[in-house]
Amino acid sequence: MRKSVCWLILLTLLISFSFQTYSQKIPSGADAITSADLESYVSFLASPLLEGRMNGEPGLEIAQQYIASQARLIGLKPAAGLSYFQPYSMIKKSIDTEKSIMSIIPGTNDTIITKQPVYQIIHDKKLIIPESSVSERITLYNVAAIVEGSDPVLKNEYVIISAHVDHIGRSGGRINAGADDDASGCAALLSIAEAFQSLEKKPLRSILFLWVSGEEIGLYGSRYYVNNPLVPLENTIADLNMDMIGRVKGVADSTDKTPMTGPAGVFVITDNQSRELTAIADEVDQGTLLDFDYSLSGKNHPLQLFARSDHYNFVTKDIPVLFFTTGLHSDYHTPGDVIEKIDFNKLEIVTKTMFRIGYNIANRKTRIVVDNPFSKW
Ligand SMILES: [Zn+2]
């Protein structure tokens, strides 16, 4: 009897010790991330009632009000003073006659011929406006919220985690719901914020959650943000961006232009601005069910995914990034990008993994080193 009591005590000690070791590695907040929550967020954001969340249209503002109200419910701190909204002004130029071709020179020597509306941040003066266009001033918004760090000094440094709310509206009268692009990322960002907020002891550094707009028309929301940051850029230590993180490779996703991941894969795209950042991601990856695939990485990759979402504006400011996507499926930018095709179990795993990476970066004693900044390329 006494012997078995001794064994019982030893076993209890062993279990509590291994639990402590485990819980130090995996912050408990990850439990707050569930596929059910993610599905409820995506079901609102990808609802046809939001008509594809087009920039300048009411559907996008409803989506952003929803995100801000969820941020308030979670208890996040507004990042723009008392507000979650960071406004910026754009000019939207549309063609109003049969002369429907326009040439633009957006900051480069390239000329683009387009029949689509053209958008531009108001202080940018390099657009050639033909006589036949009509101009309209519109206000767009980024949504931003903060969980403050626990260290009195290091809380002045920030990890940014980002996703874009806007999508492309309708095409040919049909709604592009954008369930994967990027309602999946916006939902993940709400769940990650909830996970951080639920922690009794917050990480040393602060986290800024950034839901941008203007992505689909030229990465304008994130460009505006990096030129008008809500927290100092020099104290911004990394950006983890996610765009289209809810899909699994299907039978139609097999061309060179639609590289997709299987049930346990996610593309992680970077150009190794910080070897330490990549090492942290790999370390977290070891303890998850996911496999990281870096094959689309690098500024010279032909698909150019490294420059095709909002993280790139952070790259240009020498802030290291990791960009997460489950891939470019055959429903990309079509009315087929609907909620029924999202794999919420996979989305939960990707979301938890991003939370752990964000936590690890924010909770390190020393700031990650940027050994390969954009300004030295
Ligand atoms: Zn996108």
Side-chain angles (χ1 to χ4, degrees):
M1 183 71 182
R2 192 174 291 170
K3 208 172 183 181
S4 62
V5 169
C6 284
W7 274 112
L8 194 65
I9 291 169
L10 185 64
L11 191 66
T12 312
L13 282 172
L14 269 173
I15 289 171
S16 68
F17 175 74
S18 57
F19 178 74
Q20 268 181 4
T21 320
Y22 182 75
S23 61
Q24 274 164 15
K25 277 191 177 164
I26 300 178
S28 56
D31 298 339
I33 297 166
T34 66
S35 59
D37 279 2
L38 290 162
E39 188 166 358
S40 79
Y41 293 143
V42 176
S43 66
F44 187 94
L45 294 169
S47 161
L49 292 171
L50 270 55
E51 300 188 313
R53 306 184 304 277
M54 177 90 158
N55 286 287
E57 301 290 334
L60 175 59
E61 285 196 38
I62 294 167
Q64 293 175 314
Q65 287 290 348
Y66 171 76
I67 288 168
S69 97
Q70 292 300 318
R72 195 169 285 115
L73 197 61
I74 292 167
L76 306 179
K77 184 181 158 193
L82 296 175
S83 172
Y84 292 106
F85 295 98
Q86 179 186 42
Y88 60 98
S89 295
M90 302 275 297
I91 291 179
K92 177 184 177 187
K93 298 180 176 73
S94 310
I95 310 294
D96 66 345
T97 71
E98 281 93 47
K99 286 185 185 173
S100 57
I101 293 175
M102 166 188 283
S103 305
I104 55 170
I105 307 174
T108 70
N109 292 325
D110 298 338
T111 300
I112 300 168
I113 309 299
T114 178
K115 293 183 181 182
Q116 299 298 318
V118 174
Y119 299 82
Q120 175 181 52
I121 286 181
I122 277 173
H123 54 74
D124 194 349
K125 290 180 184 145
K126 288 177 182 162
L127 195 73
I128 297 169
I129 311 161
E131 296 284 312
S132 58
S133 72
V134 282
S135 293
E136 180 191 350
R137 188 185 174 118
I138 58 171
T139 301
L140 298 178
Y141 300 89
N142 295 324
V143 182
I146 288 170
V147 166
E148 266 188 10
S150 57
D151 184 272
V153 177
L154 293 179
K155 74 175 186 182
N156 296 313
E157 294 183 355
Y158 291 82
V159 175
I160 293 185
I161 311 180
S162 54
H164 72 89
V165 193
D166 63 304
H167 194 48
I168 56 171
R170 291 170 182 267
S171 42
R174 295 179 67 197
I175 292 168
N176 297 288
D180 193 33
D181 189 6
D182 186 20
S184 64
C186 292
L189 195 47
L190 277 170
S191 284
I192 292 169
E194 199 173 354
F196 275 107
Q197 183 66 13
S198 76
L199 291 170
E200 216 163 284
K201 176 139 176 18
K202 306 288 188 280
L204 303 174
R205 292 178 186 76
S206 300
I207 315 286
L208 187 137
F209 306 95
L210 184 61
W211 292 266
V212 298
S213 58
E215 195 270 357
E216 300 284 12
I217 53 175
L219 313 183
Y220 284 111
S222 51
R223 197 210 291 186
Y224 184 82
Y225 179 86
V226 298
N227 289 321
N228 304 272
L230 296 170
V231 297
L233 279 190
E234 61 272 22
N235 293 348
T236 301
I237 66 169
D239 171 49
L240 305 180
N241 187 43
M242 48 197 152
D243 196 350
M244 303 170 67
I245 56 168
R247 294 275 294 245
V248 173
K249 181 175 176 139
V251 279
D253 306 321
S254 54
T255 71
D256 286 350
K257 287 185 179 160
T258 56
M260 280 292 294
T261 49
V266 65
F267 291 117
V268 183
I269 295 166
T270 177
D271 209 341
N272 282 322
Q273 299 153 283
S274 165
R275 277 175 292 182
E276 209 176 342
L277 180 59
T278 318
I280 291 170
D282 284 336
E283 190 187 312
V284 171
D285 184 31
Q286 305 292 320
T288 73
L289 302 170
L290 271 182
D291 280 329
F292 286 179
D293 180 338
Y294 290 98
S295 64
L296 302 181
S297 276
K299 55 183 177 290
N300 298 321
H301 191 284
L303 281 178
Q304 284 291 301
L305 290 183
F306 182 63
R308 272 173 63 180
S309 190
D310 297 298
H311 55 278
Y312 192 70
N313 283 316
F314 290 92
V315 171
T316 63
K317 300 292 183 185
D318 285 353
I319 294 165
V321 303
L322 293 174
F323 169 41
F324 294 79
T325 180
T326 48
L328 285 171
H329 45 76
S330 54
D331 292 314
Y332 172 69
H333 282 199
T334 76
D337 180 5
V338 290
I339 188 167
E340 290 78 7
K341 295 179 184 172
I342 301 290
D343 183 323
F344 286 99
N345 289 326
K346 180 173 180 181
L347 181 57
E348 180 188 315
I349 295 167
V350 174
T351 306
K352 283 181 169 167
T353 305
M354 291 194 62
F355 164 67
R356 286 170 192 160
I357 294 171
Y359 180 91
N360 196 315
I361 302 165
N363 202 41
R364 291 173 90 77
K365 290 218 168 64
T366 53
R367 180 176 173 155
I368 56 167
V369 176
V370 186
D371 35 33
N372 180 28
F374 177 85
S375 56
K376 293 195 177 154
W377 290 357

